[in-house]
Amino acid sequence: MGLIRRLAELGFTKGARVRVLHSSPPGPVLVMVKGSRIALGRGVAMRVMISLQEVI
């Protein structure tokens, strides 16, 4: 439950838009959520569930 709470504190909530800024193995994944850039370890990033939307 700690990971879910921590991700929510960082802005990863239902409906939040997440944009991948940089992803280069084996390093962390850099994302933008609610105007903040956040680096997530690959193990954590793999646990974040997203749905893709068409970009206009």
Side-chain angles (χ1 to χ4, degrees):
M1 201 62 161
L3 177 60
I4 294 171
R5 182 179 304 150
R6 180 67 180 137
L7 289 172
E9 290 170 352
L10 291 171
F12 291 89
T13 56
K14 186 175 181 176
R17 291 179 182 234
V18 178
R19 187 167 128 199
V20 176
L21 301 175
H22 184 75
S23 177
S24 179
V29 178
L30 182 62
V31 298
M32 180 170 282
V33 62
K34 295 188 176 180
S36 297
R37 293 186 307 168
I38 300 169
L40 298 174
R42 292 208 168 264
V44 173
M46 289 174 48
R47 294 174 181 241
V48 176
M49 188 176 293
I50 63 165
S51 63
L52 299 176
Q53 289 185 333
E54 186 176 332
V55 178
I56 299 174

